[in-house]
């Protein structure tokens, strides 16, 4: 009996039925005590394995996303940032914009929650098995420049284009010269009307000429981003100062 049991565990491990292996004693105990039938026991075990695999896929998709932190829409303090329409964000979290290959732009000063919301929507997308990737704009450009220097730019653009949702954080925080702007344009153009992009920026659209150093390229990028886009403008206090402000208020009471 012991050898049969050991062989069973080995077979389950070979077949990579890890959750069944981990839970088999629990379910066989219920079967042995006649609390459930043999068929019900098998059903429970297979359901546990299916649920475990689904959870593993979700965890893998979130890990692939390279998010800077794990925060969801439910973690956002909309009361602190009343300029944001909560219902609008919840609708974006439903991810219809991805099916329509539309973009989202979070526009506002530093610290108001742009990255939090972009990440939260990205995590929602990853959890529903939409391959997603988060990267700071400057890091993206650095990778594209390196790829160009090594004669593999096309492959690198294909790499970033494979993601159904690409999140570009902090566009415009640092100036982008003309040659770098051309690299970014190639990627944006490749994704245009095919796959979604979420962008966070503190630069008003009328000032993009200055950021990109070339009005023609700036307008071309802006045109492709905004043609099918939802723009969320955020005007409010720095979200990072929230705890400090709350502490001051308590001290003044």
């Amino acid at each position: 009996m012991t050898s049969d049991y050991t062989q069973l565990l080995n077979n389950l491990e070979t077949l990579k039925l890890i959750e069944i292996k981990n839970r088999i004693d629990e379910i066989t105990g219920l079967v042995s005590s006649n609390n459930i039938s043999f068929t019900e026991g098998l059903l429970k075990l297979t359901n546990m394995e299916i649920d475990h695999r689904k959870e593993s896929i979700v965890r893998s998709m979130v890990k692939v996303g390279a998010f800077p932190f794990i925060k969801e829409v439910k973690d956002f303090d909309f009361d602190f940032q009343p300029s944001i329409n909560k219902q609008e964000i919840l609708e974006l979290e439903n991810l219809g914009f991805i099916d329509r290959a539309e973009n989202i732009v979070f526009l506002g000063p530093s610290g108001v929650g742009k990255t939090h919301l972009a990440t939260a929507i990205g995590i929602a997308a990853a959890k529903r098995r939409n391959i997603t990737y988060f990267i700071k704009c400057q890091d993206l450009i650095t990778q594209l420049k390196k790829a160009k220097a090594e004669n593999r730019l096309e492959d690198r653009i294909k790499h970033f284009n494979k993601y159904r949702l690409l999140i570009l954080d902090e566009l415009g925080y640092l100036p982008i010269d003309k040659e770098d702007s051309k690299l970014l344009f190639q990627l944006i153009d490749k994704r245009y009307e095919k796959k979604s992009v979420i962008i966070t920026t503190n630069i008003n659209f009328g000032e993009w000429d200055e950021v990109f150093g070339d009005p023609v390229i700036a307008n071309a990028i802006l045109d492709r981003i905004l043609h099918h886009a939802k723009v969320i403008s955020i005007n409010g206090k720095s979200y990072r100062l929230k705890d400090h402000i709350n502490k001051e208020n308590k001290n003044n009471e």
Side-chain angles (χ1 to χ4, degrees):
M1 181 66 180
T2 302
S3 60
D4 288 344
Y5 178 76
T6 301
Q7 185 61 54
L8 173 60
L9 295 182
N10 290 338
N11 288 349
L12 291 173
E13 186 163 350
T14 299
L15 294 170
K16 301 189 184 303
L17 298 173
I18 305 304
E19 190 64 13
I20 289 180
K21 178 186 174 185
N22 292 338
R23 305 291 289 274
I24 193 167
D25 288 344
E26 171 190 341
I27 301 304
T28 53
L30 292 174
V31 173
S32 298
S33 61
N34 294 319
N35 286 332
I36 61 173
S37 68
F38 179 73
T39 301
E40 288 175 314
L42 283 178
L43 180 60
K44 283 183 177 293
L45 283 171
T46 52
N47 282 340
M48 288 172 178
E49 184 68 34
I50 290 170
D51 290 343
H52 174 73
R53 292 191 178 194
K54 286 180 179 178
E55 291 170 5
S56 295
I57 290 172
V58 167
R59 286 193 296 270
S60 296
M61 294 292 284
V62 171
K63 186 176 181 179
V64 165
F67 301 106
F69 43 70
I70 303 300
K71 290 183 179 179
E72 301 183 65
V73 171
K74 63 182 175 61
D75 302 318
F76 192 84
D77 189 348
F78 288 94
D79 292 332
F80 185 77
Q81 216 61 282
S83 68
I84 302 175
N85 184 327
K86 181 177 181 180
Q87 188 56 42
E88 191 173 42
I89 301 299
L90 291 175
E91 289 175 4
L92 292 175
E93 191 184 24
N94 289 331
L95 308 179
F97 75 96
I98 293 179
D99 294 330
R100 299 186 294 271
E102 295 173 350
N103 305 319
I104 302 174
V105 179
F106 288 105
L107 173 64
S110 178
V112 295
K114 303 185 301 296
T115 299
H116 181 152
L117 291 173
T119 298
I121 293 172
I123 288 174
K127 283 186 172 182
R128 295 186 211 173
R129 303 191 188 187
N130 294 285
I131 185 167
T132 302
Y133 191 70
F134 178 104
I135 188 170
K136 290 189 180 298
C137 186
Q138 206 60 38
D139 292 340
L140 172 74
I141 290 173
T142 297
Q143 291 194 34
L144 294 179
K145 285 176 67 174
K146 185 173 184 291
K148 182 182 179 183
E150 297 171 352
N151 294 316
R152 53 183 185 85
L153 177 61
E154 185 177 349
D155 288 341
R156 203 60 190 159
I157 288 177
K158 285 181 179 178
H159 167 78
F160 285 117
N161 193 47
K162 75 180 181 182
Y163 298 103
R164 197 165 185 215
L165 175 61
L166 182 65
I167 303 173
L168 299 183
D169 192 41
E170 297 185 345
L171 187 150
Y173 279 72
L174 294 173
I176 304 171
D177 66 32
K178 184 174 180 179
E179 292 306 310
D180 293 350
S181 298
K182 290 179 180 179
L183 298 177
L184 181 60
F185 169 77
Q186 288 182 61
L187 177 58
I188 295 297
D189 185 59
K190 193 81 171 178
R191 297 181 63 86
Y192 177 56
E193 294 189 320
K194 298 181 183 71
K195 296 178 181 177
S196 297
V197 178
I198 296 179
I199 288 174
T200 73
T201 182
N202 64 337
I203 305 298
N204 291 323
F205 301 130
E207 301 171 1
W208 280 35
D209 287 6
E210 300 174 16
V211 172
F212 288 99
D214 185 298
V216 175
I217 297 175
N219 288 335
I221 292 174
L222 197 58
D223 178 67
R224 283 159 179 75
I225 290 172
L226 296 182
H227 184 204
H228 304 291
K230 182 71 177 178
V231 178
I232 309 293
S233 296
I234 308 175
N235 300 300
K237 300 173 183 177
S238 172
Y239 202 77
R240 299 187 185 98
L241 297 178
K242 175 188 170 187
D243 292 337
H244 179 71
I245 292 171
N246 288 341
K247 185 177 180 180
E248 280 190 344
N249 290 338
K250 288 181 180 179
N251 290 337
N252 294 331
E253 288 179 355

